[in-house]
Amino acid sequence: MPWQALGALLRYGTTLPPRLSEIAILVTGRACQSPFEWYAHRLEAEKVGIEPAVIAAILDETLPPGLSPEEAAVYHYAVELNRHNSVSNATYAAALAHFGERTVVELTALIGYYTMVAMTLNCHEIPLPEGVTPAFALPQHAALK
């Protein structure tokens, strides 16, 4: 699908290092309550060296310990964008100071793309691999079917 090309561009062709991209994706997968997105990107986060305590805190929806200033900027940006569909002036300014305009635009697009992916996975109930337990409760819509 053409949108997969956009995903590849946003994941591999931006100025964001993989570690920062995976933090934003994990926050988004958790905020969107997407078990499959969380599962897949938890594995990717581990591959790029994100510490288990950071992953656990994102899962618990709490501020992860020991983030670098750049990681904290991405975390706060992703949390606010997912929670409020925008970010505060202070959060935007912090991201801009760390990364510059191009990277902030790329970060916003990455979060938006993975929101779309999460919604697609959730609505079509893409199953986890056999034997894998969801890291959190399934989305509320599943109860509507």
Side-chain angles (χ1 to χ4, degrees):
M1 293 190 154
W3 56 277
Q4 288 174 320
L6 174 61
L9 172 68
L10 291 171
R11 188 140 171 243
Y12 304 114
T14 69
T15 56
L16 285 164
R19 184 175 172 95
L20 297 181
S21 292
E22 290 304 328
I23 288 171
I25 296 167
L26 281 180
V27 169
T28 301
R30 182 63 179 103
C32 292
Q33 297 180 309
S34 179
F36 192 92
E37 187 166 286
W38 175 267
Y39 164 76
H41 284 279
R42 179 177 172 263
L43 297 175
E44 292 301 314
E46 290 171 350
K47 286 180 189 174
V48 298
I50 296 176
E51 297 78 9
V54 171
I55 295 170
I58 294 172
L59 177 61
D60 291 340
E61 298 181 296
T62 59
L63 180 63
L67 294 179
S68 71
E70 293 80 13
E71 292 166 347
V74 166
Y75 172 81
H76 290 296
Y77 195 95
V79 166
E80 282 189 29
L81 187 55
N82 277 289
R83 192 172 289 158
H84 304 293
N85 299 317
S86 192
V87 297
S88 67
N89 289 340
T91 298
Y92 187 87
L96 194 61
H98 283 289
F99 306 116
E101 188 173 19
R102 174 182 173 173
T103 303
V104 174
V105 170
E106 291 171 344
L107 175 60
T108 306
L110 178 77
I111 294 165
Y113 174 79
Y114 276 96
T115 298
M116 178 188 69
V117 170
M119 289 178 180
T120 302
L121 294 167
N122 286 351
C123 285
H124 299 285
E125 298 180 346
I126 304 303
L128 292 168
E130 190 172 326
V132 173
T133 302
F136 45 84
L138 295 176
Q140 292 298 317
H141 81 278
L144 298 175
K145 291 187 176 184

Short mmCIF file of all heavy atoms in Angstrom, two decimals, residues 35-37 117 120-129:
data_model
loop_
_atom_site.label_atom_id
_atom_site.label_comp_id
_atom_site.label_asym_id
_atom_site.label_seq_id
_atom_site.Cartn_x
_atom_site.Cartn_y
_atom_site.Cartn_z
N PRO A 35 -2.61 -3.06 21.24
CA PRO A 35 -1.75 -4.15 21.72
C PRO A 35 -0.72 -4.61 20.69
O PRO A 35 0.43 -4.86 21.04
CB PRO A 35 -2.73 -5.28 22.05
CG PRO A 35 -4.02 -4.59 22.30
CD PRO A 35 -4.02 -3.40 21.38
N PHE A 36 -1.12 -4.67 19.41
CA PHE A 36 -0.16 -5.15 18.41
C PHE A 36 0.94 -4.12 18.18
O PHE A 36 2.12 -4.48 18.09
CB PHE A 36 -0.85 -5.50 17.09
CG PHE A 36 0.07 -6.25 16.18
CD1 PHE A 36 0.10 -7.63 16.19
CD2 PHE A 36 0.94 -5.58 15.33
CE1 PHE A 36 0.99 -8.33 15.37
CE2 PHE A 36 1.82 -6.27 14.50
CZ PHE A 36 1.84 -7.65 14.52
N GLU A 37 0.57 -2.84 18.08
CA GLU A 37 1.60 -1.82 17.88
C GLU A 37 2.56 -1.80 19.07
O GLU A 37 3.78 -1.70 18.89
CB GLU A 37 0.95 -0.44 17.69
CG GLU A 37 1.95 0.64 17.31
CD GLU A 37 1.27 1.88 16.80
OE1 GLU A 37 0.78 1.85 15.65
OE2 GLU A 37 1.23 2.88 17.54
N VAL A 117 -1.84 3.83 12.11
CA VAL A 117 -1.53 2.40 12.16
C VAL A 117 -2.24 1.75 13.34
O VAL A 117 -2.85 0.68 13.20
CB VAL A 117 0.01 2.18 12.24
CG1 VAL A 117 0.33 0.72 12.54
CG2 VAL A 117 0.67 2.62 10.94
N THR A 120 -5.89 1.32 12.67
CA THR A 120 -6.10 0.24 11.70
C THR A 120 -5.96 -1.12 12.37
O THR A 120 -6.80 -2.01 12.19
CB THR A 120 -5.11 0.39 10.53
OG1 THR A 120 -5.30 1.67 9.92
CG2 THR A 120 -5.32 -0.70 9.49
N LEU A 121 -4.91 -1.28 13.14
CA LEU A 121 -4.69 -2.55 13.84
C LEU A 121 -5.84 -2.85 14.80
O LEU A 121 -6.31 -3.99 14.88
CB LEU A 121 -3.36 -2.51 14.60
CG LEU A 121 -2.10 -2.44 13.75
CD1 LEU A 121 -0.90 -2.09 14.62
CD2 LEU A 121 -1.87 -3.75 13.01
N ASN A 122 -6.27 -1.83 15.53
CA ASN A 122 -7.34 -2.03 16.50
C ASN A 122 -8.67 -2.36 15.83
O ASN A 122 -9.36 -3.31 16.23
CB ASN A 122 -7.51 -0.78 17.37
CG ASN A 122 -6.41 -0.61 18.39
OD1 ASN A 122 -5.58 -1.49 18.60
ND2 ASN A 122 -6.39 0.54 19.03
N CYS A 123 -9.05 -1.58 14.83
CA CYS A 123 -10.35 -1.79 14.19
C CYS A 123 -10.46 -3.14 13.49
O CYS A 123 -11.53 -3.73 13.45
CB CYS A 123 -10.65 -0.67 13.20
SG CYS A 123 -11.12 0.86 14.04
N HIS A 124 -9.36 -3.60 12.95
CA HIS A 124 -9.37 -4.88 12.25
C HIS A 124 -8.90 -6.02 13.13
O HIS A 124 -8.73 -7.14 12.66
CB HIS A 124 -8.55 -4.77 10.96
CG HIS A 124 -9.13 -3.74 10.03
ND1 HIS A 124 -10.27 -3.97 9.31
CD2 HIS A 124 -8.76 -2.47 9.77
CE1 HIS A 124 -10.58 -2.88 8.62
NE2 HIS A 124 -9.67 -1.96 8.89
N GLU A 125 -8.72 -5.70 14.43
CA GLU A 125 -8.37 -6.69 15.44
C GLU A 125 -7.24 -7.63 15.00
O GLU A 125 -7.36 -8.85 15.04
CB GLU A 125 -9.61 -7.47 15.86
CG GLU A 125 -10.66 -6.58 16.50
CD GLU A 125 -11.92 -7.30 16.94
OE1 GLU A 125 -12.14 -8.47 16.54
OE2 GLU A 125 -12.68 -6.70 17.70
N ILE A 126 -6.15 -7.01 14.56
CA ILE A 126 -4.98 -7.79 14.16
C ILE A 126 -4.46 -8.51 15.40
O ILE A 126 -4.13 -7.87 16.41
CB ILE A 126 -3.90 -6.89 13.54
CG1 ILE A 126 -4.48 -6.10 12.35
CG2 ILE A 126 -2.67 -7.70 13.14
CD1 ILE A 126 -5.09 -6.93 11.25
N PRO A 127 -4.40 -9.83 15.35
CA PRO A 127 -4.04 -10.58 16.56
C PRO A 127 -2.54 -10.55 16.86
O PRO A 127 -1.71 -10.41 15.97
CB PRO A 127 -4.49 -12.00 16.23
CG PRO A 127 -4.36 -12.09 14.74
CD PRO A 127 -4.71 -10.71 14.22
N LEU A 128 -2.26 -10.70 18.13
CA LEU A 128 -0.88 -10.88 18.56
C LEU A 128 -0.44 -12.29 18.16
O LEU A 128 -1.29 -13.17 17.97
CB LEU A 128 -0.77 -10.71 20.07
CG LEU A 128 -1.01 -9.30 20.59
CD1 LEU A 128 -1.17 -9.30 22.10
CD2 LEU A 128 0.11 -8.38 20.17
N PRO A 129 0.86 -12.51 18.05
CA PRO A 129 1.32 -13.88 17.77
C PRO A 129 0.79 -14.86 18.83
O PRO A 129 0.56 -14.48 19.99
CB PRO A 129 2.84 -13.76 17.84
CG PRO A 129 3.12 -12.32 17.55
CD PRO A 129 1.97 -11.56 18.15
#
